[in-house]
Amino acid sequence: MAELAGLVQRLEVAVGRLEAMSSSGGGGSPAAGSGPVSAYVEAYDSLISGPVAQYAAISQKIGGDVQKHAEMMKQAFSCQRQLLVTASRSQKPADSALAPLLAPVSKVIQEVQAFREKNRSSPHFNHLSAVSESVPALGWVAMAPKPGPYVKDMQDAAMFYTNRVLKDYKEKDKTHVDWVNAYVSIWAELQTYIKQHHTTGLSWSKTGPVASASGGGGPCGGAPPPPGPPPPPMDFDKSSGGESGGAINRNALFASLNKGADITKGLKHVSDDQKTHKNPALKANTGPVPAGPKPVAARPTAAASPARTLPPVLELDGKKWKVENQEGAQGLVIKDTELKQVVYAFKCNNSTLKVQGKINSITVDNCKKMGLVFDDVVGIVEMINCRDVKIQVMGKVPTISINKTDGCHVYLSKDSLACEIISAKSSEMNVLVPNKDGEYTEIPVPEQFKTVWDGSKLVTTATEIAG
């Protein structure tokens, strides 16, 4: 069944290529998909019709969330193919114009990751996590000069979850084992493809017009539709009383206001014997005051100021690497580091950061859904005011501090098992320790403690239900 579905997928790709080659190129943009495609686009089509199609076919066999995720991944590869067609027929634009071209692929990557977050209760959560952790590999088109190693790093990020799938199903259902092999082969083939056609980065055409996002075609490359017409002005005369009634009420109000000081002439004079504060006997006859809510005086409120969007920062300032305000930035890399330097990441969301080499310390402050991978740290790695962060140690680190953080996964290497982990005011902390077979054992960090007085001092121990 899987082989048949893969064959159908290959036929669909072949038919699409024939249609593209037979269609006319007049009046179309370079990215519109008309005319023959370049050699490296044909090679990418082989990747789609091969490993990607096999992965999609097995995912369809498994069904459920795995199949839905595979459909999203097919869309991601389709978007990237459209970008490759554009690059093969256009010259590279300025960096400021490159982001809109990369936006469709980036959007699908975020959708794939969001699907995993929305389906944490799925019985196939490990499958979804493997895809979600490695899909940023499609960002290789923005990586230079080593896009191939970047894909390898993202493939390694999925290994923890693919190993879990193998562990759960290798004795139960061979389909899931085939699924892992098919999925992993996608990234292996992509590395080979990049090595052959895009060794130092995405290859752009030397001729043709400069690439433009507005000139793109296909399901992923088109420009956004123009905004619709503004809404009609509000007609204040059309109140609940109808058009004529609203006009009459408004005219009557203006007529009353135009009386000026004469507006009080219609008021009735109240004599002293009718005033309650001068005639206490009237208070006894007033009866109970009807209950009801007191009118609330409207307070003038200042207009809500728009949220400030600060520009992203990735720079070396003296001895400090500053990584700030990154949103959905997959594959941030800091290299050429020195021992005296430190890294400070602040307000970065849905992003990943890799620090290469040996460095003094790393601080991650006020970040959400942040992934951090580093080689060696001689000082300390700190997580402060964070939420849903993941840390992976490739080399050594003496101390990891987790403070005011909810949701933190620490992946230790074999060389970093002796590190100290200090936590305070944090929850959902897990340390993952490597086994001899390459898999990880997940161990929760205690969050609940018991303190007793032993006669001379307080003794605090973790409770048995701390995890």
Side-chain angles (χ1 to χ4, degrees), residues 280-336:
L282 292 177
K283 293 183 179 180
N285 299 328
T286 56
V289 179
K294 296 182 179 180
V296 179
R299 294 183 178 180
T301 57
S305 58
R308 294 178 58 191
T309 302
L310 299 177
V313 175
L314 176 56
E315 63 182 11
L316 178 61
D317 185 3
K319 298 180 181 180
K320 177 189 289 187
W321 285 96
K322 297 167 64 177
V323 186
E324 301 177 356
N325 310 313
Q326 300 287 346
E327 291 285 344
Q330 305 293 335
L332 298 171
V333 179
I334 295 177
K335 52 187 178 180
D336 300 327

Side-chain angles (χ1 to χ4, degrees), residues 25 58-59 69 71 95 113 132 154 163 183 272 285 289 300 307 388 450 464:
I58 301 176
S59 298
H69 225 196
E71 293 296 329
D95 291 340
Q113 294 178 323
S132 179
M154 294 299 102
N163 286 341
Y183 183 72
D272 289 345
N285 299 328
V289 179
D388 194 10
K450 178 178 67 176
E464 294 182 356

